[in-house]
Amino acid sequence: MYPLNANKPWPENQWYVAGLSNEIGHDIIGRDLLGRHVILFRDEAGAPHALSGICPHRMLPLEQGRLKGDRVMCGYHGLEFDLEGRCVRSPITPAPPSCALARYPVREHAPLVWIWMGDAARAETTPLPEQELIGLGAAGWRSDQSHYYDLEARYSILIDNLFDLSHLGFIHADIMGEAGAIAFSQPYLSESDGRLVVSRDHLDCPVDPYHRSLHPGLGDRLSTRLDTDMLGICLINAGGPVWDGPDAAGTYQGSQNFIHVLTPASECRTHYWVFVARDFRTEDDGLSFALADQARRVADQDLVALEAIERLLASEMPLPREVSMKTDQGALRARHRLLQMINAEDGPSVAA
Amino acid sequence: MYPLNANKPWPENQWYVAGLSNEIGHDIIGRDLLGRHVILFRDEAGAPHALSGICPHRMLPLEQGRLKGDRVMCGYHGLEFDLEGRCVRSPITPAPPSCALARYPVREHAPLVWIWMGDAARAETTPLPEQELIGLGAAGWRSDQSHYYDLEARYSILIDNLFDLSHLGFIHADIMGEAGAIAFSQPYLSESDGRLVVSRDHLDCPVDPYHRSLHPGLGDRLSTRLDTDMLGICLINAGGPVWDGPDAAGTYQGSQNFIHVLTPASECRTHYWVFVARDFRTEDDGLSFALADQARRVADQDLVALEAIERLLASEMPLPREVSMKTDQGALRARHRLLQMINAEDGPSVAA
Amino acid sequence: MYPLNANKPWPENQWYVAGLSNEIGHDIIGRDLLGRHVILFRDEAGAPHALSGICPHRMLPLEQGRLKGDRVMCGYHGLEFDLEGRCVRSPITPAPPSCALARYPVREHAPLVWIWMGDAARAETTPLPEQELIGLGAAGWRSDQSHYYDLEARYSILIDNLFDLSHLGFIHADIMGEAGAIAFSQPYLSESDGRLVVSRDHLDCPVDPYHRSLHPGLGDRLSTRLDTDMLGICLINAGGPVWDGPDAAGTYQGSQNFIHVLTPASECRTHYWVFVARDFRTEDDGLSFALADQARRVADQDLVALEAIERLLASEMPLPREVSMKTDQGALRARHRLLQMINAEDGPSVAA
């Protein structure tokens, strides 16, 4: 159960989302990521950077300093660090070479800025999760940010939540209405090296008001598929396509995705960004607004449940022994993959 | 001192108060009791029930679910549990038999609902504390609820407080006035299997305004007795009778009780309900209001002291070695009884 | 780094400031000092006293009691303690001799009240820090209280702060203006048994508006010295003299001191009082107000930095290895002296 591994709550050698393209500017942001304090900023040319966020001189968090051109200046005694993290100026006497900030590899693929906090040598050879596959920054798609949450719960509870969408019919019953019926379909699983997908089909259904409003061209019957698609530890899509008619051979109407971006801040807190994306009516601003608002209301409901679970886990309260059912196959598989990644970094197999 | 026993803060094989008859309805309440999370509700026939309050599937606190007839439905993935705690429905695939909630024996004796959280077999053979002896739900008496406190202090500090009523003359001096003088009488102790009573007599006193207002028929002198009466771990009365004249041979005027109902929520938090009861002027609503209000003001003052003591105990501050006096005999005896109950459950004598 | 010594955060055999003369009256104040709970009050003759602040009977913090003449009466059960801490009255039955409060030696040297919490025998032979040397309660000087802070940071971070005044040019750049330039001078160190001074000279400078406003008689050039002067663990001055002309041979204009009084409350909290003192224009109330206000604004800025550092230290966040520079010589020396005092109390050298 939780934590997956008592000694190490997450794998390090992975790309994680450090922040959003539109929140990082020529100004210092401080943020806890994977249990470390990091600063994020853009240089004068606009490229994003991530450095350790604590001055090694007297431990001031560096977001209390400021940028001076392309240098980070500590707000306490004025030490200046370059983009590599080296201390290149100290007001009175020079700092020793050991006075440096760790530098983390960063890559931007709008709307996301990714960070690598593990073995830097492996960052080069590890591709980013293919975010365009789910419509984030992809041609023909429109994506909109819904909401950011400083979730007071460990990230693994959120992954569990996303891999068991049968909860749509309960926590979110009031928002989902008839469209939540798909949650009661039997899920099936497909898996590849970088991806785990749990799918549910809902074929040959009468068109409900929600889908009618999205796709006015629908006839009387529709078919949909709902995937939970893990493209990377911190990038999970919940969404899928709609077809006119009794099965997936019908006319494709479009896909709508609820994209969950999650990065552990610490063992019990998670940065959680929610996006919506779609490949139909992409010029319709009102529809973007409505879908982002709906996603926010859904995530608000999850927040209440997840933080309540976290409070129980973090308490000294005795917990029942966890029970899983056949429908939990996807969530258990997701946990298993996470645990494999974590254990591979700890054991001798890393060197192999 | 505190805690009485470092490994086990309270005896388990006891009836405790889970809640009040009038707060438990056909709706789920979640509550921490003896360090465990419990849900309370009434079935459609009106009988109260207590089950473990954490869904064993993904640990949602079950007060975030709802009742569906006589079933508890988890708010997360819709698992349904019957009154025995068995999972009798799971939306897509069945849950294994291990998917169950612990069920706790419950008995209602208005205005209290009692719960047994220890060895269930012993609940049957253990009678409830005789609450009618102190006027709670007894013929000829009227009882009124005064106030509920989520006391941020361990329960044993509150028991100490009730067993040393000499504090009436200090913490509550402003409220008690002359009636607090009884606090300075020498206490004496009587004890039986299920009950511990510390009494103080105040004989042949001039009638003070407070007693005059309660008993207009009094002459010039009155006699009173003030008992701290422990009928069970979580049921303690502080009150007693009033007689007209120089001793207990005078005309009985009536008894007034301040009843303290306390159940540990966790090691450092206590559910604390205060009741007032009397066997005179039972039709007088104004008097009920005045007495309940007085009891609340008294308990408000205790709260300030008890939570300040708890903060010291819970801090890393060094504490002086505890000193007791002869007047603490009753409180020490109460602690001793509690410790005996706790130790009897741990040691081999349980099996004997 | 921090803490200086993992087992003992501060030396005990030292005079510390318990409070200010003007805040201690014939009324009980409760205060945590060096990790212990203490009460402070004046007797009827006006002399200040410090006793352990926890009643050994049932652990009530004694600031919830009150003074009864020269006795401290516990607010719970009315036990009365004399100025030596002996329990001299208990309402019903006498308390045993072990019922007593620890008494701490106290000395008043206005505006400060000092306390000794270590080996009482050594208090007699240890003089108070010579506070008049920096203008606190000294003839020819005026001192004014600026502000009190309940600083949520360990005291050693504050000492570091005061011993590296190069931060004047950064954290306080907006308040200091040109007068902050002295922060960039090379510091030099002088040391004696009871005192550690780190000084900076700023000679032959053009007169800036700030010094002009303080000393209207200045010509075109001035010279100043800025000392960090540790007279005792909890008494540190940051200030110094001003001369007219190119060096210290010029006409003395006066000295201005920012006096920092700090006493550990617990491992991570510090009582922090700020005073200003000067030996010029001592009748000018407006100047007193302006300087005290400036000192408060400066300390407000330090507070933000120091509490942010404390949060990092107190977190489970990995910290970089601390780096120091040549300019940190004074701060490192101050730490070294503290550590020597701490270790001398622990080891066999105490007896030597």
Side-chain angles (χ1 to χ4, degrees):
Chain A
M1 232 217 111
Y2 318 108
L4 301 166
N5 175 319
N7 299 314
K8 193 171 175 179
W10 46 68
E12 303 271 328
N13 288 318
Q14 297 287 329
W15 287 105
Y16 284 92
V17 170
L20 305 189
S21 291
N22 63 16
E23 66 172 339
I24 303 176
H26 189 57
D27 210 0
I28 302 174
I29 293 174
R31 183 163 287 167
D32 294 349
L33 296 170
L34 309 195
R36 283 177 266 172
H37 191 63
V38 172
I39 51 168
L40 305 170
F41 60 94
R42 289 184 192 277
D43 61 28
E44 292 188 318
H49 296 269
L51 298 172
S52 162
I54 306 176
C55 180
H57 174 231
R58 289 299 177 266
M59 309 297 148
L60 190 78
L62 287 165
E63 67 271 22
Q64 290 196 13
R66 62 182 177 84
L67 290 179
K68 211 174 137 183
D70 277 355
R71 291 180 180 178
V72 171
M73 189 177 82
C74 177
Y76 202 168
H77 301 94
L79 271 61
E80 297 177 19
F81 300 89
D82 69 10
L83 295 174
E84 300 298 313
R86 291 174 298 224
C87 181
V88 287
R89 185 159 188 270
S90 159
I92 306 175
T93 50
S98 64
C99 187
L101 308 177
R103 184 188 150 273
Y104 301 106
V106 159
R107 288 200 209 154
E108 181 164 18
H109 186 165
L112 306 179
V113 175
W114 296 83
I115 189 171
W116 181 277
M117 297 183 73
D119 174 5
R122 298 179 57 174
E124 290 304 306
T125 58
T126 310
L128 293 182
E130 298 183 74
Q131 67 188 56
E132 61 286 347
L133 291 178
I134 52 172
L136 266 185
W141 287 76
R142 171 172 183 160
S143 64
D144 297 282
Q145 197 198 342
S146 167
H147 204 63
Y148 166 76
Y149 297 90
D150 175 7
L151 179 69
E152 297 195 359
R154 58 201 73 186
Y155 79 107
S156 46
I157 304 180
L158 177 53
I159 293 181
D160 267 0
N161 171 276
L162 294 168
F163 269 96
D164 188 352
L165 293 182
S166 73
H167 81 266
L168 294 183
F170 299 96
I171 291 189
H172 309 307
D174 56 336
I175 296 178
M176 302 304 290
E178 291 167 70
I182 193 168
F184 300 105
S185 304
Q186 193 65 247
Y188 56 94
L189 197 145
S190 62
E191 195 167 5
S192 65
D193 236 31
R195 211 162 164 183
L196 172 67
V197 189
V198 172
S199 304
R200 285 177 158 86
D201 295 322
H202 209 206
L203 304 179
D204 200 17
C205 314
V207 174
D208 59 89
Y210 177 67
H211 283 101
R212 172 73 67 208
S213 76
L214 291 180
H215 307 289
L218 280 170
D220 290 342
R221 313 291 289 178
L222 63 73
S223 295
T224 63
R225 196 182 73 232
L226 177 60
D227 298 328
T228 295
D229 187 349
M230 185 187 231
L231 289 97
I233 279 183
C234 68
L235 185 61
I236 298 174
N237 178 41
V242 174
W243 299 274
D244 184 41
D247 57 36
T251 309
Y252 177 71
Q253 301 290 312
S255 287
Q256 187 197 346
N257 289 339
F258 294 90
I259 297 169
H260 306 268
V261 178
L262 46 130
T263 300
S266 64
E267 293 205 23
C268 295
R269 269 183 54 217
T270 303
H271 300 287
Y272 179 26
W273 294 271
V274 180
F275 285 84
V276 286
R278 68 184 189 279
D279 62 356
F280 60 94
R281 296 172 59 191
T282 55
E283 301 300 311
D284 188 336
D285 292 342
L287 183 57
S288 281
F289 178 85
L291 293 175
D293 182 62
Q294 180 196 39
R296 182 192 54 74
R297 287 182 291 124
V298 166
D300 283 352
Q301 292 177 326
D302 285 318
L303 198 83
V304 171
L306 300 180
E307 294 190 343
I309 293 170
E310 178 64 45
R311 280 192 297 274
L312 284 176
L313 297 183
S315 78
E316 295 182 357
M317 203 84 75
L319 299 177
R321 189 184 169 85
E322 190 190 54
V323 169
S324 291
M325 287 161 289
K326 206 171 159 227
T327 41
D328 291 312
Q329 197 188 359
L332 297 179
R333 192 67 205 148
R335 285 187 197 174
H336 181 73
R337 287 171 69 105
L338 276 175
L339 193 54
Q340 273 185 318
M341 291 180 203
I342 293 170
N343 292 344
E345 294 183 0
D346 276 341
S349 58
V350 170
Chain B
M1 229 219 114
Y2 318 109
L4 302 166
N5 175 320
N7 298 312
K8 192 171 177 179
W10 46 68
E12 303 271 329
N13 288 319
Q14 297 287 329
W15 287 105
Y16 285 92
V17 170
L20 305 189
S21 291
N22 64 15
E23 65 172 342
I24 302 175
H26 188 58
D27 209 1
I28 302 175
I29 293 175
R31 183 163 287 169
D32 293 349
L33 296 169
L34 309 194
R36 284 176 267 172
H37 192 64
V38 172
I39 52 169
L40 306 170
F41 59 94
R42 289 185 192 276
D43 62 27
E44 291 188 319
H49 296 269
L51 298 172
S52 163
I54 306 175
C55 180
H57 175 231
R58 289 297 179 267
M59 310 295 149
L60 191 78
L62 287 165
E63 68 271 23
Q64 290 197 12
R66 62 182 177 84
L67 291 178
K68 211 174 136 183
D70 278 354
R71 291 179 180 178
V72 171
M73 188 177 83
C74 177
Y76 202 168
H77 301 94
L79 270 62
E80 296 176 20
F81 300 89
D82 69 12
L83 296 174
E84 300 298 315
R86 291 173 298 224
C87 180
V88 288
R89 187 160 186 270
S90 159
I92 307 174
T93 50
S98 64
C99 189
L101 308 176
R103 185 188 150 274
Y104 301 107
V106 160
R107 287 200 211 155
E108 182 164 18
H109 187 165
L112 306 178
V113 175
W114 297 82
I115 188 171
W116 182 276
M117 298 183 71
D119 174 6
R122 299 179 56 174
E124 289 305 306
T125 57
T126 309
L128 292 184
E130 297 182 76
Q131 67 188 57
E132 62 285 346
L133 291 178
I134 52 171
L136 266 185
W141 287 75
R142 171 173 183 160
S143 64
D144 298 282
Q145 196 198 342
S146 167
H147 204 63
Y148 165 76
Y149 297 92
D150 175 8
L151 179 68
E152 296 195 359
R154 59 201 72 186
Y155 80 108
S156 46
I157 304 181
L158 178 52
I159 292 180
D160 268 359
N161 171 276
L162 295 167
F163 269 96
D164 189 350
L165 293 182
S166 72
H167 80 267
L168 294 183
F170 299 96
I171 291 189
H172 310 305
D174 57 337
I175 296 178
M176 302 304 290
E178 292 168 69
I182 193 168
F184 300 104
S185 304
Q186 192 65 248
Y188 55 96
L189 197 145
S190 62
E191 195 167 6
S192 64
D193 235 31
R195 212 162 163 185
L196 171 67
V197 189
V198 172
S199 304
R200 286 177 156 85
D201 294 324
H202 208 206
L203 303 180
D204 200 17
C205 313
V207 174
D208 59 272
Y210 177 67
H211 284 102
R212 173 74 65 207
S213 75
L214 292 180
H215 306 290
L218 279 170
D220 290 341
R221 312 290 289 178
L222 62 73
S223 296
T224 62
R225 196 182 73 232
L226 176 61
D227 299 328
T228 294
D229 187 350
M230 185 186 231
L231 289 98
I233 281 184
C234 69
L235 185 61
I236 298 175
N237 179 38
V242 173
W243 298 274
D244 186 37
D247 57 35
T251 311
Y252 176 71
Q253 301 290 313
S255 288
Q256 187 196 345
N257 291 338
F258 294 89
I259 298 169
H260 306 268
V261 178
L262 46 131
T263 300
S266 63
E267 293 205 21
C268 296
R269 270 183 55 216
T270 303
H271 299 287
Y272 179 26
W273 295 270
V274 180
F275 284 84
V276 287
R278 66 184 190 277
D279 61 356
F280 60 94
R281 295 171 61 190
T282 55
E283 303 299 313
D284 187 336
D285 292 342
L287 184 56
S288 280
F289 178 85
L291 294 174
D293 182 62
Q294 180 196 37
R296 182 193 54 73
R297 286 182 292 124
V298 165
D300 282 352
Q301 293 177 326
D302 285 319
L303 197 82
V304 171
L306 301 180
E307 295 190 343
I309 293 170
E310 177 64 45
R311 280 192 298 273
L312 284 177
L313 299 183
S315 77
E316 295 182 357
M317 204 84 74
L319 298 177
R321 191 183 168 86
E322 191 190 54
V323 169
S324 290
M325 286 161 291
K326 207 172 159 226
T327 41
D328 291 314
Q329 198 187 359
L332 297 179
R333 192 70 204 143
R335 286 187 198 174
H336 182 72
R337 288 170 69 105
L338 275 174
L339 192 54
Q340 273 185 318
M341 292 179 201
I342 293 171
N343 292 344
E345 294 184 0
D346 276 340
S349 57
V350 170
Chain C
M1 230 218 112
Y2 317 109
L4 302 166
N5 175 320
N7 299 314
K8 192 171 176 178
W10 44 69
E12 303 272 329
N13 288 320
Q14 297 287 331
W15 286 105
Y16 285 93
V17 170
L20 304 189
S21 291
N22 64 13
E23 66 173 340
I24 302 176
H26 189 57
D27 208 1
I28 302 174
I29 294 175
R31 183 163 288 168
D32 294 349
L33 296 169
L34 310 194
R36 284 176 266 171
H37 192 64
V38 172
I39 51 168
L40 305 170
F41 60 95
R42 288 184 192 276
D43 62 27
E44 291 187 318
H49 296 269
L51 298 172
S52 163
I54 306 176
C55 180
H57 175 230
R58 289 299 177 266
M59 309 296 148
L60 191 76
L62 287 166
E63 68 271 22
Q64 291 197 12
R66 63 181 176 84
L67 290 179
K68 212 175 136 182
D70 277 354
R71 291 179 179 179
V72 171
M73 188 177 83
C74 177
Y76 200 169
H77 302 95
L79 272 62
E80 296 177 20
F81 300 89
D82 69 11
L83 295 174
E84 300 298 314
R86 291 174 298 224
C87 182
V88 288
R89 185 158 188 271
S90 159
I92 307 174
T93 50
S98 65
C99 188
L101 307 176
R103 185 189 149 274
Y104 301 106
V106 159
R107 288 202 210 153
E108 182 164 19
H109 186 164
L112 306 179
V113 176
W114 297 84
I115 189 170
W116 182 276
M117 298 183 71
D119 174 6
R122 298 179 57 172
E124 289 306 306
T125 58
T126 309
L128 292 183
E130 297 182 76
Q131 68 188 55
E132 61 285 346
L133 291 179
I134 51 171
L136 266 185
W141 286 76
R142 170 170 184 162
S143 64
D144 298 283
Q145 197 198 343
S146 167
H147 205 63
Y148 165 76
Y149 297 91
D150 174 8
L151 179 68
E152 297 194 359
R154 60 201 71 185
Y155 79 108
S156 47
I157 303 181
L158 178 52
I159 293 181
D160 268 359
N161 171 276
L162 295 168
F163 270 97
D164 188 353
L165 293 182
S166 72
H167 81 266
L168 293 184
F170 299 97
I171 290 189
H172 310 306
D174 57 337
I175 296 178
M176 302 304 290
E178 291 167 69
I182 194 168
F184 300 105
S185 303
Q186 192 66 246
Y188 55 94
L189 198 145
S190 61
E191 195 167 4
S192 64
D193 236 31
R195 210 161 164 188
L196 172 66
V197 190
V198 172
S199 305
R200 286 177 158 87
D201 294 323
H202 208 205
L203 305 180
D204 199 17
C205 314
V207 174
D208 59 89
Y210 177 67
H211 284 102
R212 172 74 66 206
S213 74
L214 292 179
H215 307 291
L218 279 170
D220 290 342
R221 313 290 289 180
L222 62 73
S223 295
T224 62
R225 197 182 71 233
L226 176 60
D227 298 328
T228 294
D229 187 349
M230 184 185 230
L231 289 98
I233 280 183
C234 69
L235 184 62
I236 297 175
N237 178 40
V242 173
W243 299 274
D244 185 37
D247 56 36
T251 310
Y252 177 70
Q253 302 290 312
S255 287
Q256 186 197 347
N257 290 339
F258 295 90
I259 297 169
H260 306 269
V261 178
L262 46 130
T263 300
S266 63
E267 294 205 23
C268 295
R269 268 183 56 216
T270 303
H271 300 286
Y272 179 26
W273 295 271
V274 180
F275 285 84
V276 286
R278 67 183 189 278
D279 61 357
F280 60 93
R281 297 171 60 188
T282 55
E283 302 301 312
D284 187 335
D285 292 343
L287 183 57
S288 280
F289 178 83
L291 293 174
D293 183 61
Q294 181 196 38
R296 182 193 54 73
R297 286 182 292 124
V298 165
D300 283 353
Q301 293 177 325
D302 285 319
L303 197 83
V304 171
L306 300 180
E307 295 190 343
I309 293 170
E310 177 64 45
R311 281 192 296 275
L312 284 176
L313 298 183
S315 77
E316 297 182 356
M317 203 84 72
L319 298 177
R321 189 185 171 84
E322 191 191 52
V323 169
S324 291
M325 287 160 292
K326 206 173 159 226
T327 41
D328 291 313
Q329 199 187 358
L332 297 180
R333 192 69 206 146
R335 286 188 196 172
H336 181 73
R337 287 171 70 106
L338 277 173
L339 192 54
Q340 272 185 319
M341 293 180 201
I342 293 170
N343 291 345
E345 294 184 0
D346 277 339
S349 57
V350 170

